[in-house]
Amino acid sequence: MMVAAIALVCAAASVSPVARPIRGLSLDILTALRWEIFGRSHDPAASPAVIVAMDEESLRTDPFKDAPMLTWTGEIGRVLSATLEGGAKVAGFDMVIPKSIEQSEIPFGEGTLGDKVRGFDRDFLRALAGAAANGKVVLGEVLGGNQPVRPSPGQRVAVRQQQNIRPLNVHIDSDDILRRMPLGFTVNGAKVPSMAVELASRALGAAPEFDERGRLTLAGYRVPGRVPNTMTLNFEGGADDIPTFSFADLRACAVKNDKDYFRRWFAGKVVIFGSVLDIEDRRQTSKRFATGIEGARAPRCAAESTPVMAGFRISTIAGVYIHATAVNNLISRNAVVEPGPLVRFLISTLFAALAAVAAWRFRPLSAALAWLAVIVASIAGATIAFNHALALPIAEPFLASLFALAATIGFRFVIADKDRRLLQKSFALYLAPHVINRMLSSNKLPELGGETRNVTVFFSDIEGFSLIAEKMSPDSLMELMNEYLSAMTDVIERHGGYVDKYIGDSIVAVFGAPADDPDHAANAARAALDCCKQLAELNASSALFQEFKLAQRIGINSGEALVGNFGSRRRFNYSVMSDAVNLASRLEGANKFYGTTVIASETTVALTGEAFAWRELDAIRVKGRTQALKIYELLALSAGLTSSQAVLITDYADGLAQWRAREFERAAQYFARSADIDRPASLFAARARELAQNPPGEDWDPIRTLQEK
């Protein structure tokens, strides 16, 4: 419930107005990633729109060098006519020339400059009028309050007033980034298409259709748009996706009347005239992370001017590329589709839920890595979807999941994991770190008041410790015991055991608590074998063990036990209590009688499976218990059993079977085969020979009673 609440709150925050400034970042990132991963999606020659650029090359080339653009009109008209004669479907102007040099009132001689140059714009106006008569030219204007920026009066008349003039206004998001283009404007109560819509509709030969909600249908294509009356632009990366021609080069081409060139590059195209200068009409767009070095890269017609390329890439692009991109999107029907608010919320909720679940179930570092992997995978998937013009949100899910991750980790740290940290702190001094981690990650934590569990108790003791202690100084004895107990503890903890206590030279350990362990018996058996191996290495290599070679005895028993915190009201310790503990102690002591090292109960042997080589030693009663039990000696892992040990087990088993069948003579023969090297066999051989000579009565019991602890 808490995880769900965190996910919902974080998702709601990510799509709220507060997060609006980062919302458009998804488009910017996806545009850049698509460009880096997939590169260019189409051949620039296939672009429906082309650009005639008023560029740095034009400013440096005669006759335009050092001349104001008011004086370029005649040559603009020349190039306009050449492109339309070359087969261009329509031409638009992403530039407004609001004045004519013919309107100049600057005194010049006995009159004004305007009077002296009367007729200067005639060729330009004739070109406009001829194109307008065929519906092949659209001039631009900039709407704004009561003073819109419009073409000069002569141009407006030439193109038949508003019939061939369309707004150039753009849509800017709240973060000052241009990601969308308006589809239309309301002027004097009438719906007027934008420049891009008008150019695309004329190229397609279909009138734009707006519904009551401002949605546009063009030639059967319902233009998608998350923001009403706008289209989300689908920018290509780089700077050569839209063919760009230098105005200076085209003017030289028109002068030499190279009609083939214009037919080759402008037939069937939408031509847009505009500035690409670094100081005019530039915008940051959703392409800001994927821009390129702009310039006229289209094949040149004349060699009379020198191309001028920008020296470095900048994050803005010329406004003419924005309109050209909008035209391409409309004609190619690949405007970006953005999910609505509900879908964005659901996606953000999904990611927030995944992050919250990861933070709830895993440790903080693991959760963070899992979250990062999900984010990377989601961005990769979103990039693939964006390659098909579907803009799945990435900023909102990222923000929602990050908040959910942090909030859930914080909640766990402050509230949910408080008890776990207490347990971790409580067990830190007497459990191996990996055992603590396994215990905390399991679903079975220890109960502070005590609980009953199936466990295996491990009890070890040093043989002849009292005699060794008498011969050593206290400091030397302490150093020896610390070395021994440290080595044995490391082995026990490595196998998942918990050292309950040290009693002098004895070690009491538990397997299966506090960390739940279904293989507690097998792990205890492995620990016993490794303890023997470790002690042998200490005896051989440690300087402290050179004077006194230590030998140990180990008893192992499995069964139900009460585990938990025991003690007084002010002082307590996590320990284990049950008859299973006492029996493990008795089995450790039984080693002294049989001359063995590791003895386990039949319960433990049954739980360990076939991974170990056991030898059934005897059936005994220990002091304090009336019930008999079979005991087994642990010799080795089954895989490491030697041939001599296998023969020993077989002979001993045959002897034990004869012993229990009252065939004492035959039992003595089997036991005698290994009596010289095996103390248990020697004990049974002597006893069997005695009973063979003095047979017991009918009430004879083949169970040995051990009186010593």
Side-chain angles (χ1 to χ4, degrees):
M1 183 63 72
M2 181 56 63
V3 170
I6 290 175
L8 288 173
V9 170
C10 292
S14 71
V15 298
S16 68
V18 177
R20 184 174 297 165
I22 64 112
R23 193 166 297 156
L25 196 59
S26 296
L27 279 173
D28 308 349
I29 294 174
L30 289 173
T31 301
L33 288 175
R34 181 180 64 182
W35 170 244
E36 294 295 334
I37 295 173
F38 297 104
R40 193 167 60 195
S41 64
H42 67 268
D43 183 358
S47 169
V50 297
I51 291 172
V52 176
M54 308 300 174
D55 57 357
E56 192 68 29
E57 176 185 344
S58 300
L59 293 178
R60 297 182 185 184
T61 303
D62 292 332
F64 309 111
K65 186 176 182 181
D66 299 327
M69 192 166 289
L70 285 175
T71 63
W72 294 22
T73 54
E75 301 306 319
I76 293 175
R78 185 198 300 271
V79 173
L80 171 62
S81 297
T83 58
L84 294 177
E85 290 173 5
K89 289 185 175 181
V90 64
F93 281 79
D94 178 38
M95 50 189 282
V96 181
I97 305 177
K99 299 292 183 181
S100 168
I101 195 171
E102 298 181 25
Q103 298 174 277
S104 176
E105 297 181 0
I106 296 176
F108 188 78
E110 296 180 356
T112 64
L113 178 60
D115 293 335
K116 299 296 183 181
V117 295
R118 190 72 61 197
F120 185 86
D121 288 339
R122 184 178 296 113
D123 291 341
F124 179 46
L125 297 178
R126 285 176 176 173
L128 290 178
N134 297 315
K136 290 196 172 185
V137 69
V138 182
L139 296 183
E141 65 177 353
V142 180
L143 302 178
N146 296 323
Q147 293 183 334
V149 180
R150 289 175 173 166
S152 67
Q155 295 175 47
R156 295 202 298 271
V157 171
V159 297
R160 305 182 183 187
Q161 297 297 340
Q162 296 303 120
Q163 183 178 342
N164 292 294
I165 299 176
R166 295 293 180 263
L168 293 169
N169 298 66
V170 295
H171 177 93
I172 303 295
D173 285 351
S174 59
D175 57 355
D176 293 330
I177 306 298
L178 191 154
R179 301 181 178 92
R180 298 167 181 85
M181 281 291 284
L183 296 174
F185 302 87
T186 301
V187 180
N188 297 326
K191 192 74 171 181
V192 177
S194 66
M195 171 64 79
V197 171
E198 185 66 30
L199 293 176
S201 68
R202 295 193 184 190
L204 294 170
E209 300 173 9
F210 290 94
D211 64 14
E212 66 281 357
R213 298 175 58 185
R215 293 177 299 188
L216 170 65
T217 301
L218 183 61
Y221 173 50
R222 171 62 67 87
V223 180
R226 183 174 64 81
V227 178
N229 193 41
T230 66
M231 173 183 69
T232 304
L233 295 173
N234 191 355
F235 285 102
E236 288 282 345
D240 58 354
D241 57 304
I242 299 175
T244 303
F245 300 83
S246 173
F247 175 70
D249 182 61
L250 292 183
R251 181 261 175 190
C253 192
V255 168
K256 71 177 186 178
N257 200 27
D258 190 346
K259 295 184 179 180
D260 288 339
Y261 179 85
F262 283 99
R263 279 194 293 268
R264 184 163 60 251
W265 293 105
F266 292 92
K269 300 294 186 180
V270 175
V271 182
I272 306 178
F273 289 75
S275 170
V276 297
L277 298 175
D278 291 343
I279 58 174
E280 294 182 4
D281 187 27
R282 302 194 68 85
R283 303 280 188 177
Q284 277 202 331
T285 67
S286 51
K287 186 181 178 175
R288 56 185 169 142
F289 303 135
T291 56
I293 299 176
E294 294 178 355
R297 291 185 173 85
R300 303 179 67 78
C301 175
E304 298 180 10
S305 57
T306 303
V308 178
M309 302 293 290
F312 52 89
R313 183 177 69 87
I314 56 178
S315 61
T316 60
I317 65 173
V320 66
Y321 287 109
I322 299 171
H323 292 282
T325 297
V327 170
N328 283 350
N329 292 167
L330 290 168
I331 294 176
S332 301
R333 301 189 174 195
N334 62 352
V336 171
V337 177
E338 294 182 274
L342 178 60
V343 175
R344 295 200 313 275
F345 172 73
L346 293 176
I347 292 175
S348 297
T349 301
L350 173 63
F351 279 81
L354 291 175
V357 169
W360 187 263
R361 295 184 62 85
F362 304 135
R363 303 176 74 178
L365 180 58
S366 299
L369 292 175
W371 168 78
L372 184 61
V374 170
I375 290 298
V376 171
S378 66
I379 291 176
T383 304
I384 294 173
F386 193 64
N387 201 37
H388 299 280
L390 174 60
L392 296 176
I394 58 175
E396 295 99 317
F398 173 85
L399 193 65
S401 60
L402 180 61
F403 285 167
L405 183 74
T408 307
I409 291 175
F411 177 79
R412 283 185 57 183
F413 183 80
V414 175
I415 300 174
D417 287 355
K418 184 178 179 181
D419 292 341
R420 284 175 170 259
R421 290 197 302 276
L422 176 62
L423 288 172
Q424 192 169 24
K425 183 177 180 181
S426 300
F427 288 107
L429 295 178
Y430 46 88
L431 267 185
H434 75 278
V435 178
I436 295 177
N437 292 336
R438 194 177 75 219
M439 177 184 69
L440 294 177
S441 63
S442 70
N443 293 323
K444 192 171 184 181
L445 298 176
E447 297 178 8
L448 296 179
E451 59 176 323
T452 300
R453 283 195 187 183
N454 277 305
V455 298
T456 296
V457 181
F458 176 106
F459 202 103
S460 73
D461 198 1
I462 294 178
E463 183 179 337
F465 177 73
S466 298
L467 295 177
I468 295 173
E470 289 177 0
K471 298 177 182 179
M472 299 183 69
S473 66
D475 290 344
S476 298
L477 180 62
M478 181 183 66
E479 192 173 4
L480 176 70
M481 290 309 301
N482 285 342
E483 178 83 4
Y484 166 76
L485 293 174
S486 296
M488 298 304 109
T489 299
D490 289 344
V491 172
I492 291 169
E493 291 185 342
R494 189 165 66 244
H495 289 282
Y498 152 60
V499 175
D500 179 4
K501 60 178 70 73
Y502 303 107
I503 308 174
D505 61 308
S506 300
I507 300 175
V508 181
V510 181
F511 291 79
D516 190 40
D517 182 7
D519 298 323
H520 53 84
N523 286 328
R526 291 188 183 92
L529 291 174
D530 286 350
C531 281
C532 296
K533 180 180 178 181
Q534 184 65 39
L535 182 57
E537 293 178 359
L538 290 174
N539 284 328
S541 60
S542 176
L544 296 173
F545 289 73
Q546 296 308 304
E547 184 177 356
F548 298 99
K549 305 294 184 182
L550 299 186
Q552 63 183 345
R553 297 187 291 257
I554 299 173
I556 307 174
N557 181 46
S558 302
E560 285 193 344
L562 184 64
V563 295
N565 286 315
F566 302 101
S568 69
R569 292 184 180 89
R570 292 184 293 107
R571 297 185 62 185
F572 55 85
N573 185 40
Y574 189 87
S575 187
V576 56
M577 294 177 59
S578 79
D579 181 59
V581 180
N582 299 329
L583 182 55
S585 174
R586 300 294 187 271
L587 295 180
E588 180 275 321
N591 284 292
K592 184 177 181 180
F593 176 80
Y594 289 100
T596 52
T597 300
V598 182
I599 291 180
S601 67
E602 57 186 317
T603 306
T604 299
V605 174
L607 292 174
T608 57
E610 300 180 354
F612 302 90
W614 299 95
R615 170 171 69 158
E616 183 183 351
L617 278 179
D618 205 349
I620 65 171
R621 291 188 185 91
V622 297
K623 188 173 182 179
R625 286 174 60 100
T626 58
Q627 185 178 358
L629 75 153
K630 293 181 179 180
I631 60 174
Y632 293 78
E633 180 189 12
L634 177 59
L635 295 178
L637 291 171
S638 296
L641 186 68
T642 64
S643 57
S644 59
Q645 288 174 321
V647 171
L648 176 66
I649 292 174
T650 301
D651 289 341
Y652 194 90
D654 291 341
L656 197 59
Q658 297 300 323
W659 165 268
R660 290 170 178 168
R662 300 174 64 98
E663 298 291 339
F664 300 116
E665 189 69 37
R666 297 180 63 182
Q669 294 175 4
Y670 282 115
F671 287 127
R673 294 177 182 178
S674 54
D676 294 340
I677 59 172
D678 182 50
R679 177 172 171 77
S682 176
L683 291 173
F684 264 105
R687 184 80 184 278
R689 284 192 291 268
E690 179 183 345
L691 292 180
Q693 295 176 2
N694 302 291
E698 293 296 327
D699 59 347
W700 176 76
D701 186 1
I703 298 173
R704 190 187 303 272
T705 300
L706 298 180
Q707 297 299 327
E708 295 185 5
K709 290 187 178 180

